[in-house]
């Protein structure tokens, strides 16, 4: 039989692809959109990527088209490189070869994209499929260097630059490789490249010492700087990789001498080119105006900084080893000397610019290196022994003075940012913990903290003396205010070291209370720092949050709208209040008189804030206040709740802020507890909105938390005064139950909360939909979720009248689903056991209903009832040994006893064997006693666990009491088992026509000993 003809594979038309790329590079938005969509389709056809790269490599094509082609290739090709369909072997070979044709590319965009492509392909193909990559690059570098110095190759500089850029990209990719094959390849690259690159850098950097202000604008200067910089970047990647391997991974130990050599040479070179740069900038006087000189100075600055990056990476990677490197101490002290030198000149010589004498990033590198190296000069080593190499008292004191007087004070640009955008300024300050390695002032603060930790004997007396000198001064001049703010910052940063010598509480009661009232406009600088300082002192446990003066100051700073205050002060006070309220020694009774003012001010501040990030910070503070205030918040609920709908609407798609608002309502509900009924009018629309698209993706977790809290803390699901009630959300939770398997456990907990509040009402309105949702979920859920659902069903069948759920249990198909699972016997044992518990609950609740469910299921499936009874009774016995909890074993015994009482022959046929054995096991395991006191008919359960051990969620909520009542009134706990079974056996006798009939038909074949044990148990004489 001949094979059917196959369609010829699609091919890409070079003309069409070129036209589409031209369209994507056009200035017409409509043409760009259409061409981009068509290009995406074409790239799914084999051969398209090969042609696309060819367009980028063809230098006669217009530059925008080439750029568009290479960008599209870079964005899509590397992700599909493993596809043999899109990249047949012959195409891959052409693409790899073509990648190396870009080494003389003049356009930076095209070259950068090509370097990224080569790096990604090399990660997968080098050295196995692309063995010629590195030999080609090294050959190009060697040839270009020789050609550049001999003048024999006009484009030698360009080829050398592109080759170094490409090599750097490949080394960056491989240096991050963690798999063993990648580590092995990188190790070989280090061995092959380290000496050639070291020699090349020495040659390329040899011209740097001869730089003069006059030579900065020469083309050769820029080229020399750029090529030396690129070469050292490659060399630094090799160096750090080798350092990391032998210090942290304990391999490649043979590279340690080479790393030591490179580090020592780098330390010497850094000092030389740093001094060269400082002298050049000083000689220039003003920043150069021509672009060539600016470019040269920028490259020299970046070259100085790349040394610092290498040193910092090595230091962070293995600090203990870093300090042992040759010349490390001299290097760190050199950096610190530059920090000191920067303070001796005018402030303008320090800026975040490559054209000033002391760029901020250079000084920050120096400070960070100094800070993390201080431990090597600590007076005592980690083992407790004395250190021979320590910093002198004079050195430490000078360092502290420099930090506190020059680097920690706010500078003009800080004050300008404060005035221009107060909220953004505070937000940036709050992020300083993450940014300290990149900004001068936060870095200086960290250096001060480390000095105080390593040299407390010098730092503590110095700050104490300065504090005593400054604290009593009341100058309103701006320089004095700024210096006082810096001192307060230093005290806050070193508070833990200073609490023995500075009386913080006395300072608060006398000085800070008065200073918080100052109305001088510039004094807002100090008042903002006072708010920050109080939050810091409390969080560091240097002050306790039980002092009314503390709250007096913070509340005033939070509320003050007059002269001497502004948005920065108020926002900082809001943040400080959260830190104080959230402290271990917070006293809510001391805070209570200030609670209304704090809440009203935070609510107002939230509405006034312009940025959503500020709103989030204020809301976080409000949420913490509500949580710690507990029931004291009840009179203020309306004040908090009223603005939330407007804030919610204004937040639009700022999901983080909306999550904060949900958190506010959740905390409000949890604190109000049974007083939270009126909040349902707010909860219901919020929860509804959270489950609309696209909000559900971002807010469902927070919405479920609010929903659960509202149910746990309310006393009714009905609305108050005609407002929406939690009952209005029942259809939504049913829909979630049937469809949202990702958080099924959370959903079931919410459903249980509804049951505990008003199960009859829920069933009257939604019984069929509810049980259909259970049926849909139980067929798809994991074993753990099935267990949660069966527990919820058992709860429902215990507390709700059977008349409300019996018919729905059949019509929904849930009963049939359980029977089918028991019949198949393929589900996990835990699930089958849980299903038996559900059936036992039904039988205990209403035995006649159980018979009706069996009958209706048989009719629906067109089978005899015996075929329904068989798997039920088989599993009832088979799963008994899997039941470990006495309460559930007793439930199972009571359920089967109720079925025995019906006189069904399918059940009674098993009475003499399985059922009697089951009862005897339970009788032997549990021990109960009926109290003889006339006024105390309760049952003493020796097998029982107290509710507090069985259930630990939702403590201190109304739901906890509801659950406890359900637990304590469970028939399994209140009904004596012996009496219950005895009564059911008498009912079975009646159903069979008398005791003799039951004996002859069903008990005659029982073992006499077994029957005796049953009668002894029923009569209370079982030993």
């Amino acid at each position: 039989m001949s094979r059917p003809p196959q369609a010829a594979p699609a091919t890409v038309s070079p003309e069409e692809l070129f036209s589409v790329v031209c369209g994507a590079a056009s200035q017409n938005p409509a043409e760009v959109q259409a061409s981009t969509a068509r290009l995406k389709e074409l790239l799914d056809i084999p051969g398209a990527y090969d042609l696309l790269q060819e367009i980028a490599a063809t230098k006669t094509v217009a530059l925008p088209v080439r750029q568009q082609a290479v960008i599209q290739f870079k964005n899509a090709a590397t992700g599909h490189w493993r596809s043999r369909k899109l990249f047949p072997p012959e195409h891959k070979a052409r693409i790899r070869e073509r990648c190396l044709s870009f080494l003389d590319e003049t356009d930076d965009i095209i070259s950068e994209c090509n370097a990224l492509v080569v790096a990604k392909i090399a990660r997968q193909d080098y050295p196995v499929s692309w063995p010629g990559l590195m030999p080609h690059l090294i050959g190009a570098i060697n040839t270009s260097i020789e050609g550049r110095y001999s003048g024999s190759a006009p484009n030698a500089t360009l080829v050398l630059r592109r080759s170094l850029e490409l090599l750097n990209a490949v080394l960056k990719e491989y240096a991050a490789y963690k798999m063993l094959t990648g580590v092995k390849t990188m190790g070989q690259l280090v061995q092959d490249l380290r000496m050639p690159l070291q020699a090349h850098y020495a040659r390329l950097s040899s011209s740097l010492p001869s730089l003069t202000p006059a030579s900065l604008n020469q083309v050769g200067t820029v080229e020399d700087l750029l090529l030396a910089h690129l070469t050292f970047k490659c060399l630094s990647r090799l160096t750090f990789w080798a350092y990391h391997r032998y210090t942290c991974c304990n391999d490649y130990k043979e590279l340690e001498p080479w790393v030591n050599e490179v580090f020592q040479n780098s330390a010497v070179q850094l000092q030389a080119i740093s001094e060269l740069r400082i002298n050049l900038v000083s000689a220039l006087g003003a920043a150069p105006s021509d672009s060539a000189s600016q470019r040269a100075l920028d490259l020299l600055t970046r070259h100085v900084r790349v040394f610092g990056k290498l040193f910092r990476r090595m230091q962070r990677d293995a600090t203990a080893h870093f300090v042992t490197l040759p010349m490390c101490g001299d290097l760190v002290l050199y950096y610190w000397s530059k920090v000191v030198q920067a303070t001796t000149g005018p402030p303008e010589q320090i800026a975040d610019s490559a054209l000033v004498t002391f760029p901020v990033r250079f000084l920050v590198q120096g400070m960070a290196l100094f800070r993390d190296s201080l431990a090597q000069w600590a007076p005592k080593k980690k083992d407790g022994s004395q250190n021979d190499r320590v910093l002198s008292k004079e050195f430490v004191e000078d360092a502290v003075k420099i930090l506190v007087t020059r680097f920690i004070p706010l500078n003009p640009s800080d004050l300008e940012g404060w005035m221009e955008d107060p909220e953004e300024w505070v937000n940036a300050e709050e992020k300083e913990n993450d940014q300290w390695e990149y900004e001068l002032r936060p870095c200086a603060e960290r250096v001060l903290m480390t000095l105080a930790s390593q040299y407390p004997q010098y730092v503590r007396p110095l700050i104490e003396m300065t504090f005593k000198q400054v604290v009593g001064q009341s100058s309103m001049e701006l320089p004095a205010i700024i210096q006082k703010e810096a001192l307060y910052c230093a005290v806050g940063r070193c508070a833990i070291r200073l609490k023995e010598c500075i009386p913080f509480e006395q300072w608060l009661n006398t000085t800070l209370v008065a200073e918080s009232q100052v109305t001088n406009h510039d004094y807002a600088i100090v008042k903002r720092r006072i708010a920050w300082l109080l939050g810091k002192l409390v969080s560091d446990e240097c002050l306790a949050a039980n002092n009314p003066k503390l709250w007096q100051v913070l509340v005033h700073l939070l509320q003050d709208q007059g002269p001497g205050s502004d948005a920065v002060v108020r926002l900082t006070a809001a943040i400080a209040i959260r830190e104080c309220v959230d402290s271990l020694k917070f006293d809510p009774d001391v805070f209570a008189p200030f609670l209304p003012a704090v809440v009203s001010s935070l609510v107002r501040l939230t509405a006034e804030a312009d940025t959503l990030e500020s709103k989030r910070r204020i809301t976080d503070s409000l949420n913490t206040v509500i949580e710690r205030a507990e029931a004291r918040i009840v009179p203020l609920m309306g004040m908090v709740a009223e603005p939330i709908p407007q804030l919610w609407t204004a937040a639009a798609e700022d999901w983080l802020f909306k999550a904060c608002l949900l958190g506010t309502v959740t905390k409000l509900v949890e604190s109000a507890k049974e007083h939270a009924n009126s909040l349902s009018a707010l909860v219901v629309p919020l929860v509804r909105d959270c489950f609309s698209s696209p909000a559900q993706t971002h807010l469902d977790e927070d919405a479920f938390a609010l929903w659960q809290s509202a149910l746990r803390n309310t006393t009714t699901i009905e609305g108050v005064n005609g407002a929406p009630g939690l009952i209005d959300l029942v259809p939504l939770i049913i829909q979630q139950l049937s469809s949202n398997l990702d958080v099924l456990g959370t959903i079931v907990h919410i459903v249980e909360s509804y049951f505990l509040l008003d199960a009859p009402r829920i069933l009257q309105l939604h019984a069929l939909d509810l049980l259909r949702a259970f049926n849909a979920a139980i067929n798809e859920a994991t074993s753990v979720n099935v267990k949660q659902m069966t527990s919820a069903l058992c709860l429902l069948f215990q507390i709700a009248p059977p008349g409300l759920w019996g018919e729905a249990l059949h019509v929904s198909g849930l009963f049939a689903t359980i029977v089918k699972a028991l019949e198949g016997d393929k589900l996990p044992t835990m699930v089958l056991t849980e299903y038996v518990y559900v059936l036992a609950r039904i039988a205990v609740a209403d035995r006649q209903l159980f018979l009706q469910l069996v009958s209706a299921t048989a009719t629906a499936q067109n089978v005899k009832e015996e075929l329904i009874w068989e798997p039920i009774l088989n599993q009832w016995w088979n799963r008994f040994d899997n039941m470990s909890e006495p309460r559930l074993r007793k439930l199972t015994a009571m359920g089967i006893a109720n079925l025995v009482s019906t006189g069904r022959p399918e059940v009674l046929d098993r009475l003499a064997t399985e059922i009697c054995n089951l009862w005897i096991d339970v009788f032997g395991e549990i021990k109960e006693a009926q109290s003889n006191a006339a006024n105390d008919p309760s049952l003493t359960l020796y097998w029982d666990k107290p509710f507090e051990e069985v259930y630990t969620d939702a403590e201190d909520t109304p739901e906890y009491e509801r659950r406890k009542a359900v637990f304590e009134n469970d028939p399994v706990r209140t009904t004596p088992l012996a009496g219950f079974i005895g009564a059911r056996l008498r009912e079975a006798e009646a159903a069979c026509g008398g005791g003799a009939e039951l004996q002859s038909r069903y008990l005659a074949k029982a073992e006499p000993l077994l029957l005796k044990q049953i009668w002894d148990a029923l009569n209370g004489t079982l030993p």
Side-chain angles (χ1 to χ4, degrees):
M1 184 176 176
S2 61
R3 296 177 61 186
Q6 295 182 342
T11 57
V12 179
S13 163
E15 293 77 13
E16 183 187 6
L17 183 63
F18 182 77
S19 173
V20 167
V21 174
C22 290
S26 76
Q27 301 298 314
N28 184 342
E31 188 177 357
V32 169
Q33 185 176 3
S35 296
T36 303
R38 178 56 182 156
L39 180 60
K40 189 175 181 182
E41 295 172 359
L42 291 175
L43 291 179
D44 288 332
I45 302 173
Y49 287 104
D50 187 24
L51 291 172
L52 188 63
Q53 193 200 31
E54 188 176 357
I55 294 172
T58 304
K59 295 184 179 179
T60 55
V61 173
L63 182 61
V65 177
R66 294 181 64 215
Q67 290 176 338
Q68 183 65 223
V70 78
I71 289 170
Q72 295 292 343
F73 185 84
K74 182 260 299 181
N75 290 344
T78 55
H80 298 95
W81 185 250
R82 294 185 186 276
S83 169
R84 294 184 64 85
K85 174 190 171 187
L86 296 177
F87 293 95
E90 62 276 11
H91 288 196
K92 283 188 174 184
R94 281 202 299 271
I95 288 170
R96 288 191 291 255
E97 183 179 354
R98 200 179 290 124
C99 281
L100 298 177
S101 70
F102 287 91
L103 292 182
D104 60 350
E105 176 58 55
T106 57
D107 182 69
D108 287 345
I109 293 177
I110 295 175
S111 179
E112 288 170 12
C113 290
N114 181 63
L116 290 172
V117 169
V118 170
K120 295 295 183 184
I121 294 176
R123 183 181 178 114
Q124 300 180 45
D125 287 8
Y126 178 80
V128 177
S129 301
W130 200 359
L133 171 62
M134 280 301 158
H136 187 100
L137 281 181
I138 297 303
I141 291 171
N142 294 337
T143 304
S144 301
I145 286 181
E146 293 303 325
R148 185 171 189 271
Y149 285 101
S150 66
S152 60
N155 66 343
T157 298
L158 177 61
V159 173
L160 180 56
R161 175 188 174 183
R162 298 306 184 205
S163 300
L164 288 169
E165 288 171 343
L166 209 152
L167 177 62
N168 183 53
V170 173
L171 291 177
K172 181 179 181 180
E173 193 71 31
Y174 260 100
Y177 215 137
K178 297 295 188 286
M179 299 296 287
L180 191 58
T181 53
V183 171
K184 185 177 178 181
T185 302
M186 185 63 184
Q188 190 59 50
L189 288 174
V190 173
Q191 295 286 9
D192 294 343
L193 298 175
R194 60 192 179 95
M195 301 311 294
L197 284 176
Q198 202 171 348
H200 292 330
Y201 178 72
R203 187 171 185 181
L204 290 166
S205 63
S206 61
S207 62
L208 298 186
S210 60
L211 282 179
T212 63
S215 65
L216 278 180
N217 61 357
Q218 296 175 6
V219 175
T221 299
V222 174
E223 291 177 351
D224 288 345
L225 283 167
L226 177 58
L227 295 174
H229 180 65
L230 290 172
T231 305
F232 187 78
K233 282 181 74 173
C234 296
L235 185 61
S236 70
R237 292 198 188 281
L238 301 181
T239 305
F240 177 74
W241 185 89
Y243 175 80
H244 173 76
R245 294 307 305 183
Y246 74 75
T247 57
C248 300
C249 305
N250 209 30
D251 53 14
Y252 290 91
K253 291 280 188 182
E254 67 276 10
L255 293 173
E256 184 172 0
W258 175 74
V259 171
N260 289 342
E261 178 192 346
V262 173
F263 180 85
Q264 185 169 351
N265 293 342
S266 299
V268 173
Q269 177 75 345
L270 175 278
Q271 296 179 48
I273 61 174
S274 173
E275 291 302 318
L276 171 69
R277 188 194 167 282
I278 290 171
N279 293 334
L280 276 173
V281 175
S282 300
L284 285 168
S289 56
D290 64 289
S291 59
S293 296
Q294 289 178 358
R295 170 70 171 154
L297 205 52
D298 178 64
L299 282 169
L300 184 58
T301 304
R302 286 164 55 195
H303 194 46
V304 170
R305 200 162 62 239
V306 81
F307 282 89
K309 286 181 179 179
L310 173 62
F311 301 147
R312 277 297 286 153
R313 287 191 73 192
M314 295 174 76
Q315 185 181 49
R316 283 195 299 258
D317 197 53
T319 305
H321 192 88
F322 178 77
V323 298
T324 67
L325 291 169
M327 288 190 63
C328 177
D330 294 340
L331 172 70
V332 172
L333 291 175
Y334 170 79
Y335 267 109
W336 181 252
S337 72
K338 297 299 104 180
V339 173
V340 174
Q341 184 181 342
T343 64
T344 60
E348 303 81 57
Q349 70 178 3
I350 302 174
D352 190 13
S353 165
L355 306 180
V356 298
T357 310
F358 296 102
V360 165
R361 281 179 276 185
F362 170 71
L363 294 178
V364 169
Q365 280 183 342
M367 284 187 181
L369 282 164
F370 179 69
R371 172 189 179 272
D372 288 351
S373 297
L374 278 171
Q376 70 173 310
W377 296 304
K380 283 190 176 181
K381 296 180 180 179
K382 286 186 178 180
D383 59 7
S385 62
Q386 292 295 319
N387 192 353
D388 297 332
R389 301 173 64 235
V390 296
L391 300 177
S392 67
K393 177 182 179 182
E394 183 182 8
F395 183 98
V396 173
E397 288 183 345
D398 287 346
V400 171
K401 289 175 184 176
I402 286 172
L403 292 169
V404 175
T405 59
R406 290 301 303 268
F407 292 112
I408 292 179
L410 299 173
N411 57 42
S413 64
D414 290 324
L415 298 177
E416 185 179 335
W418 178 324
M419 298 303 295
E420 286 181 355
D421 193 342
E423 290 183 21
E424 183 54 37
W425 192 87
V426 174
N427 292 332
E429 287 289 298
E430 288 301 307
K431 293 175 184 173
E432 65 182 19
N433 286 335
D434 302 323
Q435 300 294 322
W436 73 266
E437 281 201 74
Y438 307 100
E439 296 177 13
L440 203 52
R441 184 159 48 86
C443 188
E445 293 174 11
R446 297 321 185 276
V447 176
L448 176 65
M449 292 163 64
T450 307
L451 281 169
S453 172
Q454 300 289 355
Y455 288 90
Q457 71 274 28
Y458 302 152
V459 176
R460 189 188 299 126
L462 179 61
I463 295 182
E464 180 186 7
M465 180 185 69
T466 312
F467 174 80
K468 289 177 179 177
Q469 292 171 351
V470 173
V471 72
Q473 297 177 3
S474 56
S475 172
M476 296 297 142
E477 297 296 323
L478 183 59
I481 288 173
I482 288 175
Q483 200 55 59
K484 178 177 278 191
E485 189 272 348
L487 177 64
Y488 284 12
C489 174
V491 170
R493 289 296 182 195
C494 304
I496 294 174
R497 308 287 171 185
L498 299 171
K499 61 182 177 181
E500 301 299 328
C501 60
I502 294 181
F504 289 124
E505 191 150 347
Q506 179 185 336
W507 182 31
L508 166 64
N509 294 337
T510 54
T511 307
L512 298 184
V513 170
E515 288 187 340
S516 68
Q517 307 287 330
V518 175
T519 56
N520 180 284
H521 177 267
D522 291 334
Y523 219 74
I525 294 170
V526 173
K527 290 163 82 170
R528 171 255 167 189
R529 181 58 76 181
I530 289 173
W532 172 89
L533 178 67
L534 292 176
K536 191 81 172 58
L537 292 176
V538 171
S539 62
D540 286 347
E541 298 187 12
C542 297
L543 269 181
N546 56 11
N547 186 338
K549 294 290 186 183
L550 170 77
W551 299 116
Q552 178 185 331
V553 171
L554 287 176
V555 170
H556 173 74
L557 295 176
L558 180 68
Q559 290 181 315
D560 189 12
Q561 302 269 353
S565 185
D566 62 10
V568 170
V569 176
R570 291 187 289 275
L571 187 50
T572 306
I575 295 166
I577 284 173
R578 177 181 58 78
E579 293 178 340
C580 294
V581 168
D582 205 24
S583 63
L584 289 173
K585 296 182 180 178
F586 169 73
D587 187 337
D589 293 324
V590 174
F591 179 66
F594 303 94
L595 179 62
V598 169
V599 170
S600 62
S601 298
L602 290 174
V603 169
R604 186 190 70 248
L605 202 57
T606 305
E608 291 174 354
D610 294 325
T611 66
L612 290 166
E613 186 171 2
S614 297
K615 290 178 186 289
R616 286 198 294 271
R617 292 189 188 281
I618 302 164
T619 306
D620 284 342
S621 296
L622 179 59
N623 293 354
T624 306
V625 168
I626 293 170
E627 182 180 10
R628 299 306 299 270
E630 298 178 336
R632 298 172 186 82
I633 200 68
V634 171
L636 307 173
M637 284 196 310
M639 182 191 303
V640 178
E642 183 180 356
I644 286 178
Q646 184 177 354
L647 291 170
W648 181 269
T649 303
E653 293 191 357
D654 187 321
W655 309 118
L656 288 175
F657 181 49
K658 283 192 166 183
C660 286
L661 292 175
L662 292 173
T664 301
V665 183
T666 302
K667 297 298 182 188
L668 201 58
V669 167
E670 290 172 350
S671 295
K673 295 189 176 12
E674 63 273 9
H675 302 288
N677 292 350
S678 61
L679 292 173
S680 296
L682 176 62
V683 171
V684 171
L686 287 179
V687 170
R688 271 207 188 111
D689 197 34
C690 288
F691 288 96
S692 60
S693 181
Q696 182 169 354
T697 307
H698 305 277
L699 298 175
D700 60 344
E701 186 176 343
D702 299 284
F704 280 131
L706 170 59
W707 201 344
Q708 181 75 81
S709 293
L711 289 164
R712 284 179 170 173
N713 289 283
T714 191
T715 56
T716 176
I717 56 175
E718 301 294 342
V720 178
N721 299 325
L726 293 170
I727 194 168
D728 299 323
L729 293 176
V730 172
L732 178 58
I733 199 63
I734 290 174
Q735 181 263 326
Q736 291 291 313
L737 175 63
S738 64
S739 60
N740 195 344
L741 296 176
D742 293 336
V743 285
L744 195 52
T746 301
I747 294 168
V748 173
H749 287 317
I750 291 174
V751 170
E752 285 186 342
S753 295
Y754 271 113
F755 291 167
L756 289 162
L757 273 162
D758 199 344
R761 180 70 173 142
I762 303 294
L763 291 171
Q764 287 169 359
L765 296 173
H766 306 287
L768 184 56
D769 290 338
L770 175 67
L771 294 180
R772 276 178 174 158
F774 267 104
N775 190 36
I778 216 163
N779 280 307
E780 302 291 336
T782 63
S783 298
V784 173
N785 289 149
V786 170
K787 187 178 189 303
Q788 292 168 325
M789 284 188 282
T790 54
S791 297
L793 289 169
C794 286
L795 173 66
L796 178 66
F797 299 157
Q798 178 190 338
I799 63 178
L804 293 177
W805 50 262
E807 182 180 357
L809 185 58
H810 168 65
V811 176
S812 67
L814 180 56
F815 187 82
T817 294
I818 293 174
V819 171
K820 183 179 179 181
L822 296 177
E823 181 181 10
D825 197 20
K826 293 180 180 178
L827 294 178
T829 299
M830 183 184 79
V831 173
L832 296 174
T833 308
E834 290 293 325
Y835 284 164
V836 173
Y837 296 152
V838 173
L839 297 181
R841 272 294 174 194
I842 299 170
V844 169
D846 191 330
R847 51 195 159 181
Q848 291 303 320
L849 171 63
F850 196 102
L851 300 186
Q852 292 170 6
L853 287 168
V854 171
S855 176
T857 303
T859 302
Q861 297 180 6
N862 196 25
V863 298
K864 295 180 178 179
E865 289 188 30
E866 292 85 348
L867 297 177
I868 303 298
W869 279 108
E870 185 176 357
I872 292 174
L873 296 173
N874 284 344
Q875 295 290 352
W876 209 296
W877 169 248
N878 293 339
R879 301 279 73 82
F880 185 70
D881 285 342
N882 304 122
M883 302 174 187
S884 58
E885 193 175 334
R887 179 175 61 89
L888 296 173
R889 290 165 74 88
K890 182 180 176 183
L891 167 66
T892 311
M894 291 176 66
I896 202 68
N898 258 7
L899 296 181
V900 166
S901 72
T902 63
R904 288 292 305 192
E906 297 88 352
V907 179
L908 293 179
D909 280 340
R910 302 177 185 236
L911 177 60
T913 52
E914 296 171 4
I915 296 174
C916 282
N917 277 303
L918 186 153
W919 286 342
I920 283 297
D921 278 354
V922 178
F923 281 135
E925 177 184 4
I926 67 175
K927 187 179 179 183
E928 302 174 340
Q930 186 82 38
S931 174
N932 293 323
N935 60 349
D936 184 16
S938 63
L939 192 64
T940 303
L941 307 175
Y942 297 101
W943 52 267
D944 194 25
K945 291 181 180 179
F947 177 70
E948 292 74 15
E949 292 183 22
V950 175
Y951 186 78
T952 56
D953 286 344
E955 290 186 68
D956 299 324
T957 68
E959 181 176 301
Y960 188 81
E961 299 305 318
R962 290 193 287 269
R963 279 194 180 272
K964 188 173 183 180
V966 170
F967 177 83
E968 292 178 345
N969 292 312
D970 186 352
V972 175
R973 299 185 72 256
T974 58
T975 306
L977 182 62
F980 183 85
I981 291 178
R984 301 294 84 78
L985 282 172
R986 287 190 291 275
E987 291 172 0
E989 290 177 354
C992 291
E997 187 69 18
L998 179 67
Q999 177 69 32
S1000 63
R1001 289 180 59 185
Y1002 300 110
L1003 293 177
K1005 55 186 176 181
E1007 294 182 12
L1009 180 60
L1010 178 61
L1011 286 179
K1012 181 180 184 303
Q1013 289 176 319
I1014 290 290
W1015 304 132
D1016 288 345
L1018 296 179
N1019 295 323
T1021 59
L1022 185 69

